[in-house]
Amino acid sequence: MSQTIVAQVLSTGLIRGISYRCHRRITPVDHSRVDETEVTGEIAHIHQALHAEVAALDALLGQTLSDTERQLVEADRLMLKDDELVQDMCHHVELHHCNAASAIERVLSPMVDEISAIEDANLCKRGVELAQLKQRLIQHALGHRCPLPTRLDDKQVLVVDYLSPAEFLRYPEIAGLVVSQATYQDHLAILARGMQIPLMVVTPEELGPLPHHQEILLDGEQGTVTINPSRVQSEAFEVRFEQWQERQQAIEADALSPATDADGNEFSIGANVSTLAELPQVARYGCREIGLLRTELLFMDRLTLPNAQEQYQTYRTIAEAIAPHPMTIRLFDFGADKMLEEMPDEANPALGHRGIRLGLEQPQLLLPQLKAIARLSQEFDIKMLVPMVNQVEELHQLSELYQQAAADLPPGEHTRQPKLGVMVETPAAVMNIDAMAPLLDFISIGTNDLTQYLYAADRNDPTLSKWYRPVSPAMIRALAYCCSRAKAHGLNITLCGEMASDPKALPLLLAMGIDGLSLAPTQRPLIKSVLARLNINQCQQLLNRALKTQTTRELGSILNSL
């Protein structure tokens, strides 16, 4: 008998498959006391649970993620590496003689309740995300093993109460997923969207009776899950499926054409790349160049940094994939939420040793990378991007290091240097554009960190999210000033960060004279379609109005009017 359920769509798409039903329930936490002899073992379970979840988050960071999604994962990872949090959990075991799962719940539940009680939409989402993180840790601590199949193919739709991100990664060929526990911003949904696998959420009551090994239709456009479709339902779905495929093919075909505004001016949209696994999407969505290669994330899974030869081979693989188009290599941006094991703990990592500051203080980290870049530049169109620059003296020191690195090239091979650019991420960098410009070929504005430092609001602290506003009057004025000074010196301007994929910000960026954006490849079709409807005169008028606004709400009203 046919059954259709209205579902919440977390990752869209249309799929016809066969259901694979797994039954699993979340086990309630037992808060009874454990014996003194069991305390050491329960503390070990806490460390094992944290290690398992960090490993799952590291696997997530190896996938194609947007800037917001990557920040979400990194925030969770940073939290789990917090020594005070770990000590608090272990202390609960010792003090209350409770098991590991109970200690995790005792420590994290008050945090969830506190954040969820704040009347702010972003904080409410973070409360849900933290609750899910708590639940995953509890399941790790209880040693639960999922009664899941070893493999699922592209005809099978997994129907299960809940699924962790690490479990989901076991099934790269899966056709679709139906669960009763997931939200749009959790890691499972992030992964599903990145892998373009349909993910639907139904209530536990609706999920319960769904059968195993039956025909199932997932319709992400209509938001429905249909089991055992009738002939009429099946034929109607087939028509919608063919139409959906045609639209997808049209989007991908159009993505390969240049991005232009309504006046016909071409606009560069490059790709942010963090892993080799993301390269196929760069070409698929028409990104002609890599606008930001996050080199520190390429090697985060290693215990030690690779030597110059290993880095050269990795960078060369990427350069070959996008040649003859340029690749912008950002120097290692360790620090803040991207820490090396050997880096010391700091009271405030975001204001500590990070970016080029760390590289100049520890040249043994930077020299192998500069050697690899110098060698690669002789073969490919390479741009070198320097993170967290604040003053011109840092560029002078970097130049000396680069010349030292290039001296290792064989005689006669040091004929080309990479184009040099800086990340504009701090107020100091904005104010020092004039001083740095003679040494530069381009600038890349990193809006995520620039917003953070402009407002002195930690972007990884959910309680400060209402103060972290990339599209705001102060930020727009800072960007306008930065662009005007860069243009006065003839510098090419690109912009990366979350603002690069915000359609509402695009007209302002176009009016400021920004030459290109760098974003997650999957965001290019949307930005390209918005760009095609904008003309420069219209955008300039909007920017003039935006620069006169006094509040974020006033600015939002102007942008919504376009």
Side-chain angles (χ1 to χ4, degrees), residues 260-263 265-267 487 505-517 530-540 543:
T260 59
D261 61 20
D263 301 317
N265 301 309
E266 191 165 339
F267 193 75
K487 284 296 180 185
L506 185 58
L508 301 179
L509 304 180
L510 200 63
M512 290 177 194
I514 285 176
D515 301 292
L517 305 172
V530 174
L531 178 68
R533 302 194 296 269
L534 300 176
N535 67 70
I536 191 63
N537 289 333
Q538 179 188 31
C539 294
Q540 191 62 61
L543 176 61

Side-chain angles (χ1 to χ4, degrees), residues 223-238:
T224 58
V225 175
T226 302
I227 292 285
N228 293 322
S230 66
R231 181 176 60 83
V232 173
Q233 288 175 318
S234 184
E235 290 175 352
F237 179 85
E238 197 61 33

Side-chain angles (χ1 to χ4, degrees), residues 29 125 290 378 417 503 537:
V29 175
K125 287 181 182 178
I290 292 178
Q378 310 313 307
Q417 287 198 2
N537 289 333

Side-chain angles (χ1 to χ4, degrees), residues 17 100 134 138 141 170 276 315 365 372 375 428 558-559:
K134 178 191 76 173
I138 288 173
R170 300 177 189 173
L276 295 176
Y315 302 151
L365 299 178
R375 182 179 173 190
I558 290 175
L559 297 182

Side-chain angles (χ1 to χ4, degrees), residues 291-500:
L292 177 63
L293 179 63
R294 298 184 175 102
T295 56
E296 68 281 354
L297 296 178
L298 280 173
F299 309 114
M300 284 292 282
D301 59 341
R302 296 176 56 119
L303 295 177
T304 59
L305 285 178
N307 60 34
Q309 174 63 20
E310 291 171 318
Q311 290 190 52
Y312 166 76
Q313 291 294 347
T314 300
Y315 302 151
R316 195 178 198 282
T317 298
I318 301 172
E320 284 180 329
I322 57 109
H325 304 297
M327 176 170 76
T328 301
I329 300 177
R330 185 176 69 185
L331 299 181
F332 290 138
D333 188 18
F334 290 114
D337 55 354
K338 294 169 288 188
M339 305 295 287
L340 288 169
E341 292 294 333
E342 60 267 27
M343 290 176 64
D345 292 334
E346 296 182 289
N348 193 338
L351 297 178
H353 299 80
R354 62 170 302 190
I356 191 59
R357 182 182 296 169
L358 176 66
L360 295 176
E361 290 177 352
Q362 300 188 38
Q364 73 276 11
L365 299 178
L366 192 55
L367 270 172
Q369 184 174 42
L370 294 177
K371 291 178 181 180
I373 292 173
R375 182 179 173 190
L376 194 71
S377 299
Q378 310 313 307
E379 308 169 73
F380 300 95
D381 188 354
I382 301 298
K383 301 177 183 178
M384 185 168 71
L385 185 58
V386 190
M388 278 294 145
V389 173
N390 286 295
Q391 49 199 357
V392 71
E393 289 89 343
E394 292 166 320
L395 294 180
H396 291 314
Q397 294 177 57
L398 176 64
S399 177
E400 293 176 4
L401 271 182
Y402 182 84
Q403 295 306 318
Q404 181 181 337
D408 283 355
L409 291 173
E413 285 195 15
H414 187 204
T415 58
R416 297 173 57 184
Q417 287 198 2
K419 295 183 177 69
L420 181 64
V422 296
M423 291 285 291
V424 178
E425 303 173 276
T426 67
V430 172
M431 302 309 296
N432 280 330
I433 292 274
D434 291 312
M436 293 189 288
L439 303 175
L440 302 176
D441 300 295
F442 69 100
I443 65 169
S444 182
I445 304 172
T447 57
N448 295 343
D449 272 320
L450 183 56
T451 304
Q452 170 175 246
Y453 293 121
L454 191 65
Y455 284 100
D458 184 352
R459 60 190 174 103
N460 289 321
D461 185 342
T463 64
L464 296 176
S465 61
K466 66 179 180 180
W467 306 113
Y468 180 82
R469 298 290 174 85
V471 184
S472 57
M475 186 67 172
I476 296 305
R477 292 188 184 100
L479 291 176
Y481 175 82
C482 179
C483 291
S484 68
R485 299 316 307 153
K487 284 296 180 185
H489 292 280
L491 297 178
N492 185 273
I493 307 170
T494 61
L495 182 140
C496 57
E498 197 59 28
M499 192 183 289

